[in-house]
Amino acid sequence: MSRHLIVYPNCSKGGVTSVIRNRALLHPENEIIAVFINDRGGRDAYANIPNLQVRVVDERVLDSYLAYVVSTFNPDQTSILNLPLSANNIPKHEGMKLVYEFHSSSLLSIHKELGKLDVENIDEFWVPSEQMRSVLSTELESELMQKFQVVPNEVNLDVFTKEGKRINLALVFEQPCKPLVWIGRLEWLKGDVDFLRLVAALPDEYKAVMIVSLENDILKVERILHEANALGVSDRLHFVMDLSQEEVAAYMRAAVENSGWFVSTSYNESFGYAVYEALGTGLRTVAFRPQVEVWTDLSEEDGAFFVPLGDIRGMKDIILSQS
């Protein structure tokens, strides 16, 4: 058994939640403690995983708490995400590997975190795709890049399967429909408005299911609802927030059942979890080819269709031609 400590700001149901859950579920031989500083309603996402403990602590005592955990839990590996100052301060015992992970596709964010890090103190940097490492290699010094390792995220195909619970979307929209499922944060890099423009370009039978990470900024929610109204698709939009993996899979299976699609309008991806999850349920996907070229292993034979960045008309043509 190996002992792992993982430290991340938000206990929520976003993409990093999937990373942590899947590491525990797919590697039951490892004992994991996950420490967070913000409770964003994600505790139940980690329920009933016997080899995973979840702890949420006040940010003001985080560093002293991590020192306590390191001294008592004696982790073989500590992974820190989005908390560069804590990575600088955490004590290292002999035999402990200190890993700093980047799961963001934003190069600006990565550079900001690197600027705050004592990189000499980090044993390894992890990124989830070879493509992400390749992009970074053009911007970072070769000596630093020697510490960068590609550790792909693992998709839990025990959850994202063809068989299982389905949401009754005909009841949600009060009529039969062809659902388009979208997952992401409400920001331009995820192409949230591009998705609504695609819906507006398609016949009325196509309905939008937007699954959004927990969002505390009400202005972002107001903005996307205003965009939906301006594009005339408010009555074709089902907006849901902060779902578990099981609930997401249920929406995807419902879309399969109703000849729907999964849509990714993201301009930047470091791995692209949701596309693989959708395909696991049998849901066809259509996506922009992001700046970092992930999904290079997928093709139309897998049910995955791709268009250049911003090509909404191309997406529309693929969906209509394959219907």
Side-chain angles (χ1 to χ4, degrees):
M1 175 177 284
S2 182
R3 294 179 300 277
H4 291 221
L5 172 62
I6 302 176
V7 189
Y8 178 65
N10 298 323
C11 183
S12 64
K13 296 178 183 175
V16 172
T17 304
S18 296
V19 172
I20 298 172
R21 271 176 50 95
N22 292 348
R23 285 183 188 173
L25 289 168
L26 299 174
H27 299 280
E29 72 280 6
N30 293 336
E31 185 178 355
I32 300 174
I33 293 179
V35 177
F36 307 93
I37 56 175
N38 302 313
D39 190 341
R40 297 288 188 255
R43 286 177 184 263
D44 60 338
Y46 302 102
N48 303 316
I49 304 177
N51 60 322
L52 174 61
Q53 300 178 50
V54 172
R55 302 174 184 177
V56 180
V57 302
D58 191 307
E59 183 176 9
R60 292 170 293 184
V61 299
L62 176 62
D63 288 347
S64 59
Y65 184 76
L66 292 178
Y68 166 76
V69 174
V70 168
S71 67
T72 56
F73 182 55
N74 197 29
D76 300 295
Q77 176 179 299
T78 295
S79 292
I80 299 182
L81 298 78
N82 296 110
L83 290 166
L85 298 184
S86 291
N88 293 343
N89 295 332
I90 196 166
K92 291 174 65 177
H93 64 73
E94 185 177 356
M96 185 187 89
K97 179 166 70 175
L98 180 58
V99 175
Y100 199 88
E101 301 188 31
F102 293 111
H103 291 269
S104 171
S105 55
S106 168
L107 297 180
L108 178 61
S109 296
I110 291 173
H111 279 294
K112 283 183 178 179
E113 289 184 49
L114 284 171
K116 297 176 181 179
L117 276 167
D118 176 4
V119 296
E120 297 298 325
N121 191 46
I122 306 299
D123 295 308
E124 291 182 1
F125 292 96
W126 286 6
V127 292
S129 68
E130 185 60 52
Q131 292 85 352
M132 194 71 199
R133 187 184 187 282
S134 178
V135 169
L136 288 171
S137 70
T138 65
E139 305 205 2
L140 302 177
E141 295 180 2
S142 58
E143 183 177 354
L144 178 58
M145 284 305 303
Q146 291 177 11
K147 290 189 174 187
F148 274 75
Q149 305 294 324
V150 175
V151 179
N153 292 328
E154 298 174 281
V155 178
N156 188 351
L157 295 179
D158 290 333
V159 172
F160 292 93
T161 60
K162 295 180 181 179
E163 301 300 323
K165 179 182 176 182
R166 290 164 170 76
I167 302 296
N168 188 341
L169 289 175
L171 184 62
V172 169
F173 289 104
E174 300 182 346
Q175 59 182 303
C177 66
K178 293 182 177 180
L180 305 175
V181 179
W182 182 94
I183 299 175
R185 298 185 303 276
L186 296 179
E187 56 184 44
W188 75 268
L189 275 175
K190 291 299 180 183
D192 51 2
V193 177
D194 284 344
F195 173 64
L196 294 178
R197 289 172 180 150
L198 171 65
V199 176
L202 287 163
D204 288 351
E205 63 183 324
Y206 289 90
K207 310 296 185 185
V209 177
M210 291 192 80
I211 301 174
V212 180
S213 304
L214 185 64
E215 182 55 71
N216 293 317
D217 187 347
I218 190 62
L219 293 179
K220 290 184 178 181
V221 177
E222 289 180 351
R223 175 186 63 81
I224 202 66
L225 295 178
H226 175 76
E227 292 285 356
N229 183 62
L231 289 165
V233 296
S234 293
D235 60 341
R236 296 163 60 192
L237 172 62
H238 179 54
F239 186 91
V240 286
M241 191 179 295
D242 199 33
L243 300 187
S244 67
Q245 285 188 317
E246 290 78 9
E247 290 169 323
V248 171
Y251 273 101
M252 289 178 171
R253 291 188 203 101
V256 175
E257 194 172 56
N258 291 277
S259 303
W261 290 77
F262 177 77
V263 178
S264 173
T265 48
S266 179
Y267 282 74
N268 256 335
E269 285 287 353
S270 59
F271 179 74
Y273 244 128
V275 164
Y276 290 105
E277 292 170 341
L279 293 173
T281 67
L283 182 58
R284 300 172 296 180
T285 70
V286 60
F288 291 164
R289 278 286 186 200
Q291 293 175 359
V292 177
E293 288 199 19
V294 294
W295 311 315
T296 54
D297 56 322
L298 298 176
S299 68
E300 294 182 9
E301 293 182 358
D302 301 303
F305 298 78
F306 300 99
V307 300
L309 283 174
D311 188 2
I312 296 171
R313 176 173 290 183
M315 279 190 164
K316 170 189 173 184
D317 291 344
I318 287 171
I319 290 172
L320 293 178
S321 68
Q322 296 293 319
S323 297

